[in-house]
Amino acid sequence: MPAKSTKKTKPTVVTIDGKARYHEPAPTGIDLESFHQVVISRRSVRKFTDKAIPQAVLDDCLDMALLAPCSSGLQPWEFFVVRSAGKKAKLVKACMSQLAAKTAAELIVCVARTDRIDEFSRKMLREWPMPDVPKLVQRYYQLIPYNYAPGPLNSFALVKKAAFSLGGMVAAVPRGPYTKSEVELWAAKSTALACENLVLAFRAHGFDTCMMEGFDEVRVRKLLNLGDASMPIMVVGAGERADDGVFWPQVRFERELFVHEV
């Protein structure tokens, strides 16, 4: 299965209430039971067989990760597939030599980035999929670099926070991200959504994963030569589940602890 093409197609436009609107009908015929099985059978696998993952499968899973929802469409993520034997051995050590890391056919480092907001805001306007970029959209993406810039020592963030706090007294306003740490959290949230897409795609292909947050971030940064604005979120080990690859039954607490109707 080849990687998905990025070639643009002409959008479908229909007229609604006298105005041209983009038209993308919801697909039908999706197999709900198969989706249930993908979600339910996804487990944190701690031991894999030595079976390789076909390149086409790996590419497809990464492509599915790149389709994850993301704030303002800015796609603040990167995925490093560690293939070099030497680097892979170092990454295993950085993951504290967990069995899931040692036996995985593939190790993928999922990274959130906060230094491409300006660049990708301009890229969004250049590659807008419709013939015309609405003025409101233009203004929005022109302002994003300022909205997400904390400034030296969060100086700009404090000014913005004070201004929006005053505005919030009379109307609903966005309450961040303002500070450097809040922008990092913003990027991490979108990257985590992409990680979920990634592991579910592997499961749909018949492979399994372990999402490892237990790693030495300093060593991972050095291994991948990451800049200060790049944050390793997790290391995903992927491969074929060994017969004894799941160590114990899944534990989930009572639904009432998490789901509320208000």
Side-chain angles (χ1 to χ4, degrees), residues 106-208:
E106 300 288 351
L107 288 175
I108 305 167
V109 184
C110 309
V111 174
R113 291 187 60 170
T114 60
D115 59 338
R116 298 199 287 192
I117 294 174
D118 295 19
E119 175 190 351
F120 281 12
S121 295
R122 294 190 296 270
K123 186 175 178 65
M124 181 65 78
L125 290 175
R126 289 195 307 269
E127 301 186 13
W128 190 253
M130 299 291 283
D132 299 308
V133 183
K135 289 184 178 180
L136 185 62
V137 171
Q138 291 184 39
R139 188 60 176 162
Y140 179 76
Y141 282 103
Q142 288 166 353
L143 288 174
I144 276 181
Y146 303 99
N147 292 341
Y148 287 48
L153 299 176
N154 286 323
S155 55
F156 192 24
L158 296 175
V159 173
K160 289 187 294 181
K161 189 171 184 178
F164 279 103
S165 295
L166 288 174
M169 297 175 68
V170 295
V173 296
R175 308 279 181 161
Y178 303 124
T179 65
K180 179 177 181 291
S181 60
E182 289 173 345
V183 174
E184 289 174 343
L185 176 60
W186 164 86
K189 288 190 292 185
S190 287
T191 302
L193 292 174
C195 292
E196 180 72 2
N197 268 27
L198 179 67
V199 300
L200 291 179
F202 273 119
R203 181 83 285 278
H205 276 286
F207 291 92
D208 282 284

